[in-house]
Amino acid sequence: MSTNGSGAASRPVGSPGWGKPGLGRNDNPHPVSHCGGDVASVASTDDARRYRTLIEQLPLVVYVDALDAASSNIFTSRQVEPLLGYTTAEWASDAELFVRALHLDDRDRVLAAHAHTHATHQPLSVEYRLIAKDGRVVWIRDEGVIVLDEDGSPLYLQGYLLDITAEREAQEQLRQLALYDSLTGLANRAFFREQFQYTVSMRKELDHQTALLFLDLNDFKHINDHWGHDVGDQVLATIGARIQHTLRAGDAAARLGGDEFAVVVPSIAEAQEAVRVAERLLEAVRWPIELGGRQLTLDVSIGISLGRDVEIMLQEADAAMYRAKGQRDVGYAFFQPDLDTVAAQRSRRVIELREAVQLSQFTLDYQPVIDLGAHEITGYEALLRWQHPQEGKVAPLDFIPLAEDSGLIIPLGKWVLAEACGYGALLVEEMGREVHMSVNVSAVQLQHPEFVAHVAAALAGSGFPPHCLILELTESVLLASGAHTQQRLAALKAGGITLALDDFGTGYASLSYLQQFPVDIMKIDRSFTATIESTTADLVLLRGIVDLGNALGLRLVAEGIQTPGQHEIVRELGCHSAQGFYFGYPEPVARRKLVGHRHAARA
Ligand code: C2E
Ligand code: MG
Ligand code: MG
């Protein structure tokens, strides 16, 4: 190719072809040298036509350049037109076109390579970008040799331009794959570590620290399980883009895998700056996501570590993130040195829990459920307690999540079902009337293939009537449910069992769940009843929920009733039943009779 690097010399004008002034088509004075295919030597013969046809069939551009100062173009094959959009005439007539078409970033390098070949007669081999007539960027591999005459004197430069754009794009894609997360376009874990280490080592201001924020989406599994992986992927991509958006110059973000992200703020003067970054991230993630007409709301827990050592900071931020999970209203937590024992404590607790299951260290308390119309006890809710040998009674929220994570909830839940049905059957017998028994069920239990069989066994073993058994599911059960869960719920319903949606209003489930799932009872979480006496807005909200439940034909149970005033309000609003310390605490022996109105002395 013409490499009129100086931009001063001009190229002879003429139609592109085999010859150039001084190199006759028939009388090529230069026999083929070490480079085969001396085009000029075969001009104007049948061979020449054959060579031309052959050359024009090659998927590349063949060129011959003079070795004059301007590298005047002698010949360029017509494939230059599909490649770059210039006709051979345009290409040959404009001495500086090649130089102008060179990508600015490559120009000096290419001209130097050509000059080197001219000077040394070494083969030319260089890759660069040309800007086509329509502005496209075309990656080229340019291979050329200096053709010598018999005496070893240089005649011209002969070579070809190969389009390697696709190859380069593939290479770039591979590079992206190796360094970036394909879903979000953020750095991947490996690249992040590398970048991060570099950033930290480059920090010169000794009074400044680097902050690492470790983000883990809360309950993301539910989205995947319920809406499918495509929606899950779209959600992750959206979150990735939002995180990217919150960054300021110099900050970096990565997807570490799954639903985990990280953000690095290379230089902060005080911890409060990291808090501001965390708050921006919380805001960005918590903003509702619109997807195909649905609205999803996500939450995230952020662990923050300040320091200078990448590996240590990653571990610390991870530990802090677990602490943040335990304080979701805040959403973030800083690493505290004692946190590294948290993981160890957790595994000790699982071992204790496993032993507790084997040693039957569990009991059930029974809290009465009151019919607000008849003002009498119609049933009980069985609430699990761990009688810990050293710690005494442990509340379910302190060990059920661990039992769920470790799978121990399966044997434990099976025991709860059998025990509650057994006690229910006893109460039916003693009280001489129907008594309902409510049992809480975890999402993990419902996902177990034997769950329906466990329920059936508990009923059969005790003789407790199926229609008296109420299974309480939380919104998370419904969110996590797939086709199998739906089938299991349908089978339970077919067996005459009643299903209740527990803690309504605290989860992420949309109202559509109430119609999708065969629930009969809606238990309104106590957060909606707690303040109805003092806050009008909360009263309005509760009225809305009650109206909705009634419109859907559900039986409504108000949870957490502690005062006569709350009792009065929920009754008047149209709740059917109620539960709460006002009527009775959870107790090891079910209270048989509702004795007048109690006041919540022990709340
Ligand atoms: P839940 O199903 O919503 O149970 C009601 C919880 O509210 C119980 O807490 C109960 O003691 C408490 N409560 C009842 N009335 C009042 C009141 O008037 N005021 C206040 N402040 N609290 C009241 P508990 O026993 O600590 O149970 C907590 C949760 O643990 C339960 O919430 C349930 O989701 C879960 N749980 C309990 N037993 C089991 C079980 O056997 N299996 C499973 N999977 N979960 C269980
Ligand atoms: Mg419950
Ligand atoms: Mg509840």
Side-chain angles (χ1 to χ4, degrees):
M1 285 288 90
S2 168
T3 53
N4 181 9
S6 68
S10 64
R11 176 201 301 245
V13 176
S15 66
W18 292 103
K20 74 163 195 170
L23 270 182
R25 292 180 178 219
N26 293 318
D27 54 350
N28 172 29
H30 312 298
V32 175
S33 175
H34 62 247
C35 162
D38 182 342
V39 285
S41 68
V42 292
S44 296
T45 62
D46 283 352
D47 281 352
R49 271 196 299 280
R50 272 201 293 279
Y51 272 102
R52 177 192 285 269
T53 315
L54 182 64
I55 278 180
E56 286 177 356
Q57 276 180 350
L58 294 174
L60 39 77
V61 177
V62 173
Y63 66 87
V64 182
D65 283 350
L67 296 173
D68 54 12
S71 298
S72 313
N73 182 236
I74 301 168
F75 167 74
T76 300
S77 69
R78 65 168 69 159
Q79 290 94 315
V80 71
E81 192 168 347
L83 183 70
L84 297 171
Y86 293 107
T87 62
T88 45
E90 285 172 310
W91 196 249
S93 65
D94 184 345
E96 288 169 36
L97 183 53
F98 174 69
V99 179
R100 283 203 312 276
L102 273 171
H103 194 286
L104 266 185
D105 292 345
D106 300 337
R107 193 173 284 173
D108 291 346
R109 184 171 54 85
V110 175
L111 295 180
H114 275 261
H116 181 256
T117 294
H118 281 212
T120 62
H121 302 169
Q122 295 288 314
L124 173 78
S125 177
V126 59
E127 293 185 0
Y128 52 84
R129 284 158 290 182
L130 286 175
I131 310 300
K133 197 174 185 179
D134 59 5
R136 270 178 304 123
V137 174
V138 182
W139 269 100
I140 296 290
R141 177 173 304 134
D142 185 351
E143 301 277 354
V145 286
I146 302 279
V147 180
L148 306 173
D149 66 10
E150 279 169 336
D151 306 329
S153 306
L155 292 172
Y156 41 79
L157 174 71
Q158 176 178 291
Y160 65 84
L161 306 181
L162 183 63
D163 179 359
I164 55 161
T165 312
E167 191 180 317
R168 279 286 181 155
E169 280 171 0
Q171 275 171 8
E172 179 55 23
Q173 265 172 14
L174 278 178
R175 203 181 75 89
Q176 292 274 338
L177 279 180
L179 303 180
Y180 295 95
D181 166 51
S182 56
L183 196 58
T184 60
L186 298 176
N188 63 20
R189 182 183 275 268
F191 186 44
F192 176 71
R193 271 174 200 256
E194 207 173 285
Q195 261 187 330
F196 185 13
Q197 187 77 65
Y198 178 77
T199 316
V200 174
S201 66
M202 292 311 279
R203 292 252 62 86
K204 298 283 183 281
E205 312 93 327
L206 282 174
D207 52 337
H208 279 216
Q209 283 188 308
T210 295
L212 172 67
L213 292 92
F214 192 109
L215 291 81
D216 187 288
L217 300 177
N218 297 339
D219 306 316
F220 179 72
K221 193 177 169 302
H222 292 160
I223 302 227
N224 260 345
D225 289 348
H226 186 70
W227 299 109
H229 286 266
D230 283 350
V231 171
D233 284 356
Q234 288 177 54
V235 168
L236 287 173
T238 307
I239 298 292
R242 289 186 184 177
I243 291 175
Q244 181 81 49
H245 231 81
T246 65
L247 304 184
R248 298 157 313 173
D251 298 353
R255 179 170 170 228
L256 300 180
D259 58 352
E260 291 176 356
F261 295 86
V263 168
V264 166
V265 186
S267 178
I268 64 162
E270 45 155 19
Q272 201 52 34
E273 265 184 62
V275 169
R276 282 194 288 276
V277 177
E279 281 170 349
R280 276 208 310 278
L281 288 165
L282 283 166
E283 172 94 353
V285 175
R286 285 174 175 171
W287 194 253
I289 298 177
E290 302 275 353
L291 269 185
R294 299 186 269 267
Q295 205 182 55
L296 302 170
T297 325
L298 271 185
D299 202 2
V300 63
S301 300
I302 305 178
I304 309 171
S305 163
L306 305 178
R308 295 183 159 269
D309 183 295
V310 177
E311 289 308 315
I312 293 179
M313 286 171 79
L314 272 170
Q315 283 169 20
E316 289 182 353
D318 190 12
M321 184 276 295
Y322 274 103
R323 209 160 68 86
K325 292 250 183 224
Q327 45 187 59
R328 290 197 180 183
D329 46 336
V330 184
Y332 63 85
F334 278 88
F335 172 74
Q336 288 175 352
D338 59 338
L339 274 189
D340 47 0
T341 58
V342 167
Q345 277 171 4
R346 205 178 137 86
S347 33
R348 265 202 305 280
R349 201 69 170 166
V350 172
I351 296 172
E352 276 185 0
L353 201 56
R354 185 164 294 125
E355 270 175 19
V357 172
Q358 281 158 5
L359 301 173
S360 311
Q361 287 173 353
F362 296 93
T363 57
L364 292 178
D365 276 359
Y366 298 93
Q367 183 177 37
V369 180
I370 277 71
D371 182 292
L372 288 172
H375 195 68
E376 61 173 22
I377 297 173
T378 49
Y380 302 88
E381 175 170 5
L383 294 159
L384 187 58
R385 273 62 180 126
W386 176 6
Q387 307 292 341
H388 192 282
Q390 283 87 40
E391 296 168 31
K393 231 179 207 189
V394 182
L397 292 180
D398 293 335
F399 66 86
I400 284 188
L402 207 57
E404 288 172 344
D405 288 352
S406 59
L408 286 168
I409 193 72
I410 302 298
L412 195 51
K414 200 174 157 187
W415 175 83
V416 172
L417 277 164
E419 181 72 15
C421 289
Y423 193 60
L426 185 82
L427 289 171
V428 171
E429 204 181 301
E430 280 186 12
M431 294 165 80
R433 62 176 171 92
E434 269 189 1
V435 176
H436 289 116
M437 184 59 74
S438 297
V439 175
N440 293 284
V441 173
S442 292
V444 184
Q445 285 175 269
L446 210 62
Q447 278 158 8
H448 195 272
E450 299 292 307
F451 180 68
V452 178
H454 293 168
V455 176
L459 290 168
S462 60
F464 189 60
H467 69 270
C468 289
L469 178 63
I470 301 171
L471 295 181
E472 296 195 358
L473 320 166
T474 58
E475 287 167 85
S476 64
V477 172
L478 306 185
L479 271 169
S481 78
H484 288 305
T485 308
Q486 289 267 21
Q487 282 164 11
R488 274 171 216 139
L489 292 177
L492 292 166
K493 284 285 295 180
I497 290 156
T498 305
L499 300 179
L501 185 58
D502 203 357
D503 306 340
F504 178 80
T506 56
Y508 298 95
S510 66
L511 294 175
S512 61
Y513 286 89
L514 287 172
Q515 282 177 313
Q516 264 177 45
F517 292 90
V519 290
D520 316 274
I521 297 174
M522 175 164 123
K523 295 188 79 171
I524 304 167
D525 190 69
R526 69 166 180 271
S527 56
F528 294 98
T529 55
T531 48
I532 42 174
E533 285 174 292
S534 54
T535 317
T536 318
D538 291 350
L539 182 62
V540 172
L541 188 59
L542 179 64
R543 179 175 289 127
I545 294 175
V546 171
D547 290 348
L548 171 91
N550 277 322
L552 291 170
L554 299 170
R555 205 175 156 77
L556 302 175
V557 183
E559 295 190 278
I561 300 306
Q562 300 194 159
T563 68
Q566 290 168 344
H567 172 204
E568 206 46 42
I569 293 173
V570 295
R571 201 176 53 82
E572 276 173 12
L573 284 182
C575 289
H576 307 96
S577 302
Q579 205 178 327
F581 297 161
Y582 177 61
F583 305 107
Y585 294 92
E587 285 163 326
V589 177
R591 85 172 35 243
R592 306 296 152 98
K593 265 205 186 120
L594 190 59
V595 206
H597 289 235
R598 297 174 63 234
H599 289 275
R602 288 198 283 148

mmCIF file of all heavy atoms in Angstrom, residues 180-200:
data_model
loop_
_atom_site.group_PDB
_atom_site.id
_atom_site.type_symbol
_atom_site.label_atom_id
_atom_site.label_comp_id
_atom_site.label_asym_id
_atom_site.label_seq_id
_atom_site.Cartn_x
_atom_site.Cartn_y
_atom_site.Cartn_z
ATOM 1 N N TYR A 180 -14.742 -9.595 31.885
ATOM 2 C CA TYR A 180 -16.004 -8.967 32.258
ATOM 3 C C TYR A 180 -17.112 -9.996 32.393
ATOM 4 O O TYR A 180 -17.089 -11.037 31.739
ATOM 5 C CB TYR A 180 -16.396 -7.916 31.207
ATOM 6 C CG TYR A 180 -15.422 -6.768 31.168
ATOM 7 C CD1 TYR A 180 -14.377 -6.757 30.253
ATOM 8 C CD2 TYR A 180 -15.519 -5.715 32.073
ATOM 9 C CE1 TYR A 180 -13.457 -5.724 30.238
ATOM 10 C CE2 TYR A 180 -14.613 -4.679 32.062
ATOM 11 C CZ TYR A 180 -13.575 -4.681 31.140
ATOM 12 O OH TYR A 180 -12.675 -3.658 31.134
ATOM 13 N N ASP A 181 -18.075 -9.655 33.187
ATOM 14 C CA ASP A 181 -19.253 -10.484 33.359
ATOM 15 C C ASP A 181 -20.182 -10.215 32.182
ATOM 16 O O ASP A 181 -20.523 -9.057 31.919
ATOM 17 C CB ASP A 181 -19.897 -10.108 34.696
ATOM 18 C CG ASP A 181 -21.286 -10.658 34.807
ATOM 19 O OD1 ASP A 181 -21.439 -11.861 34.575
ATOM 20 O OD2 ASP A 181 -22.211 -9.885 35.101
ATOM 21 N N SER A 182 -20.564 -11.284 31.485
ATOM 22 C CA SER A 182 -21.293 -11.078 30.233
ATOM 23 C C SER A 182 -22.703 -10.506 30.474
ATOM 24 O O SER A 182 -23.256 -9.823 29.635
ATOM 25 C CB SER A 182 -21.388 -12.389 29.461
ATOM 26 O OG SER A 182 -21.990 -13.351 30.284
ATOM 27 N N LEU A 183 -23.261 -10.797 31.638
ATOM 28 C CA LEU A 183 -24.639 -10.362 31.899
ATOM 29 C C LEU A 183 -24.731 -8.863 32.179
ATOM 30 O O LEU A 183 -25.609 -8.173 31.667
ATOM 31 C CB LEU A 183 -25.164 -11.141 33.110
ATOM 32 C CG LEU A 183 -26.655 -11.153 33.342
ATOM 33 C CD1 LEU A 183 -27.342 -11.718 32.120
ATOM 34 C CD2 LEU A 183 -26.965 -12.014 34.550
ATOM 35 N N THR A 184 -23.806 -8.364 32.977
ATOM 36 C CA THR A 184 -23.911 -6.968 33.404
ATOM 37 C C THR A 184 -22.874 -6.067 32.754
ATOM 38 O O THR A 184 -22.981 -4.846 32.835
ATOM 39 C CB THR A 184 -23.691 -6.876 34.931
ATOM 40 O OG1 THR A 184 -22.377 -7.382 35.220
ATOM 41 C CG2 THR A 184 -24.704 -7.692 35.693
ATOM 42 N N GLY A 185 -21.859 -6.672 32.120
ATOM 43 C CA GLY A 185 -20.798 -5.855 31.528
ATOM 44 C C GLY A 185 -19.837 -5.298 32.582
ATOM 45 O O GLY A 185 -18.885 -4.606 32.252
ATOM 46 N N LEU A 186 -20.065 -5.641 33.836
ATOM 47 C CA LEU A 186 -19.147 -5.189 34.891
ATOM 48 C C LEU A 186 -17.927 -6.120 34.921
ATOM 49 O O LEU A 186 -17.974 -7.217 34.383
ATOM 50 C CB LEU A 186 -19.834 -5.231 36.262
ATOM 51 C CG LEU A 186 -21.060 -4.346 36.462
ATOM 52 C CD1 LEU A 186 -21.661 -4.602 37.845
ATOM 53 C CD2 LEU A 186 -20.688 -2.883 36.317
ATOM 54 N N ALA A 187 -16.869 -5.668 35.567
ATOM 55 C CA ALA A 187 -15.692 -6.520 35.717
ATOM 56 C C ALA A 187 -16.103 -7.811 36.424
ATOM 57 O O ALA A 187 -17.012 -7.803 37.259
ATOM 58 C CB ALA A 187 -14.642 -5.786 36.544
ATOM 59 N N ASN A 188 -15.458 -8.930 36.075
ATOM 60 C CA ASN A 188 -15.744 -10.156 36.809
ATOM 61 C C ASN A 188 -14.822 -10.240 38.030
ATOM 62 O O ASN A 188 -14.008 -9.358 38.255
ATOM 63 C CB ASN A 188 -15.632 -11.388 35.914
ATOM 64 C CG ASN A 188 -14.226 -11.592 35.369
ATOM 65 O OD1 ASN A 188 -13.264 -11.066 35.923
ATOM 66 N ND2 ASN A 188 -14.118 -12.322 34.292
ATOM 67 N N ARG A 189 -14.973 -11.318 38.789
ATOM 68 C CA ARG A 189 -14.267 -11.396 40.066
ATOM 69 C C ARG A 189 -12.744 -11.340 39.873
ATOM 70 O O ARG A 189 -12.046 -10.593 40.559
ATOM 71 C CB ARG A 189 -14.667 -12.696 40.781
ATOM 72 C CG ARG A 189 -14.046 -12.859 42.138
ATOM 73 C CD ARG A 189 -14.428 -14.199 42.738
ATOM 74 N NE ARG A 189 -15.707 -14.147 43.426
ATOM 75 C CZ ARG A 189 -15.843 -13.887 44.724
ATOM 76 N NH1 ARG A 189 -14.785 -13.646 45.463
ATOM 77 N NH2 ARG A 189 -17.032 -13.865 45.282
ATOM 78 N N ALA A 190 -12.249 -12.106 38.874
ATOM 79 C CA ALA A 190 -10.805 -12.192 38.685
ATOM 80 C C ALA A 190 -10.230 -10.824 38.292
ATOM 81 O O ALA A 190 -9.242 -10.363 38.867
ATOM 82 C CB ALA A 190 -10.488 -13.215 37.611
ATOM 83 N N PHE A 191 -10.881 -10.186 37.343
ATOM 84 C CA PHE A 191 -10.397 -8.902 36.863
ATOM 85 C C PHE A 191 -10.505 -7.850 37.962
ATOM 86 O O PHE A 191 -9.643 -6.993 38.122
ATOM 87 C CB PHE A 191 -11.206 -8.500 35.629
ATOM 88 C CG PHE A 191 -10.709 -7.246 34.960
ATOM 89 C CD1 PHE A 191 -9.358 -7.027 34.760
ATOM 90 C CD2 PHE A 191 -11.595 -6.279 34.520
ATOM 91 C CE1 PHE A 191 -8.906 -5.884 34.146
ATOM 92 C CE2 PHE A 191 -11.157 -5.131 33.900
ATOM 93 C CZ PHE A 191 -9.801 -4.935 33.724
ATOM 94 N N PHE A 192 -11.581 -7.972 38.730
ATOM 95 C CA PHE A 192 -11.827 -7.030 39.824
ATOM 96 C C PHE A 192 -10.677 -7.067 40.835
ATOM 97 O O PHE A 192 -10.128 -6.044 41.228
ATOM 98 C CB PHE A 192 -13.154 -7.380 40.484
ATOM 99 C CG PHE A 192 -13.475 -6.542 41.673
ATOM 100 C CD1 PHE A 192 -13.811 -5.209 41.526
ATOM 101 C CD2 PHE A 192 -13.456 -7.082 42.941
ATOM 102 C CE1 PHE A 192 -14.115 -4.436 42.627
ATOM 103 C CE2 PHE A 192 -13.760 -6.318 44.044
ATOM 104 C CZ PHE A 192 -14.093 -4.987 43.882
ATOM 105 N N ARG A 193 -10.295 -8.280 41.225
ATOM 106 C CA ARG A 193 -9.190 -8.436 42.181
ATOM 107 C C ARG A 193 -7.932 -7.758 41.654
ATOM 108 O O ARG A 193 -7.235 -7.058 42.378
ATOM 109 C CB ARG A 193 -8.871 -9.914 42.371
ATOM 110 C CG ARG A 193 -9.661 -10.552 43.470
ATOM 111 C CD ARG A 193 -9.357 -12.043 43.446
ATOM 112 N NE ARG A 193 -10.411 -12.742 44.150
ATOM 113 C CZ ARG A 193 -10.254 -13.230 45.372
ATOM 114 N NH1 ARG A 193 -9.129 -13.109 45.995
ATOM 115 N NH2 ARG A 193 -11.253 -13.846 45.964
ATOM 116 N N GLU A 194 -7.674 -8.033 40.375
ATOM 117 C CA GLU A 194 -6.469 -7.507 39.744
ATOM 118 C C GLU A 194 -6.482 -5.975 39.758
ATOM 119 O O GLU A 194 -5.540 -5.324 40.199
ATOM 120 C CB GLU A 194 -6.460 -7.998 38.307
ATOM 121 C CG GLU A 194 -5.107 -8.130 37.681
ATOM 122 C CD GLU A 194 -5.286 -8.787 36.326
ATOM 123 O OE1 GLU A 194 -5.523 -10.021 36.265
ATOM 124 O OE2 GLU A 194 -5.245 -8.053 35.339
ATOM 125 N N GLN A 195 -7.615 -5.432 39.287
ATOM 126 C CA GLN A 195 -7.776 -3.974 39.209
ATOM 127 C C GLN A 195 -7.669 -3.347 40.594
ATOM 128 O O GLN A 195 -7.037 -2.334 40.797
ATOM 129 C CB GLN A 195 -9.203 -3.676 38.731
ATOM 130 C CG GLN A 195 -9.349 -3.377 37.295
ATOM 131 C CD GLN A 195 -10.797 -2.949 37.065
ATOM 132 O OE1 GLN A 195 -11.720 -3.386 37.758
ATOM 133 N NE2 GLN A 195 -10.997 -2.088 36.107
ATOM 134 N N PHE A 196 -8.335 -4.036 41.526
ATOM 135 C CA PHE A 196 -8.454 -3.557 42.886
ATOM 136 C C PHE A 196 -7.070 -3.496 43.535
ATOM 137 O O PHE A 196 -6.659 -2.491 44.106
ATOM 138 C CB PHE A 196 -9.374 -4.521 43.619
ATOM 139 C CG PHE A 196 -9.729 -4.138 45.013
ATOM 140 C CD1 PHE A 196 -9.481 -2.876 45.495
ATOM 141 C CD2 PHE A 196 -10.337 -5.060 45.848
ATOM 142 C CE1 PHE A 196 -9.820 -2.532 46.788
ATOM 143 C CE2 PHE A 196 -10.679 -4.730 47.136
ATOM 144 C CZ PHE A 196 -10.407 -3.466 47.609
ATOM 145 N N GLN A 197 -6.321 -4.594 43.360
ATOM 146 C CA GLN A 197 -4.979 -4.668 43.923
ATOM 147 C C GLN A 197 -4.129 -3.518 43.381
ATOM 148 O O GLN A 197 -3.419 -2.837 44.124
ATOM 149 C CB GLN A 197 -4.348 -6.015 43.515
ATOM 150 C CG GLN A 197 -3.016 -6.289 44.176
ATOM 151 C CD GLN A 197 -3.214 -6.720 45.617
ATOM 152 O OE1 GLN A 197 -3.782 -7.767 45.881
ATOM 153 N NE2 GLN A 197 -2.794 -5.902 46.550
ATOM 154 N N TYR A 198 -4.274 -3.305 42.080
ATOM 155 C CA TYR A 198 -3.506 -2.254 41.424
ATOM 156 C C TYR A 198 -3.890 -0.886 41.991
ATOM 157 O O TYR A 198 -3.041 -0.091 42.371
ATOM 158 C CB TYR A 198 -3.771 -2.312 39.922
ATOM 159 C CG TYR A 198 -3.061 -1.228 39.145
ATOM 160 C CD1 TYR A 198 -1.695 -1.322 38.876
ATOM 161 C CD2 TYR A 198 -3.756 -0.113 38.695
ATOM 162 C CE1 TYR A 198 -1.046 -0.330 38.175
ATOM 163 C CE2 TYR A 198 -3.112 0.888 37.987
ATOM 164 C CZ TYR A 198 -1.751 0.774 37.740
ATOM 165 O OH TYR A 198 -1.124 1.758 37.059
ATOM 166 N N THR A 199 -5.209 -0.652 42.083
ATOM 167 C CA THR A 199 -5.698 0.630 42.589
ATOM 168 C C THR A 199 -5.169 0.893 43.988
ATOM 169 O O THR A 199 -4.692 1.974 44.296
ATOM 170 C CB THR A 199 -7.246 0.617 42.673
ATOM 171 O OG1 THR A 199 -7.739 0.042 41.487
ATOM 172 C CG2 THR A 199 -7.819 1.993 42.855
ATOM 173 N N VAL A 200 -5.266 -0.145 44.841
ATOM 174 C CA VAL A 200 -4.831 0.035 46.224
ATOM 175 C C VAL A 200 -3.333 0.330 46.266
ATOM 176 O O VAL A 200 -2.876 1.233 46.970
ATOM 177 C CB VAL A 200 -5.164 -1.213 47.069
ATOM 178 C CG1 VAL A 200 -4.581 -1.087 48.462
ATOM 179 C CG2 VAL A 200 -6.668 -1.404 47.156
#
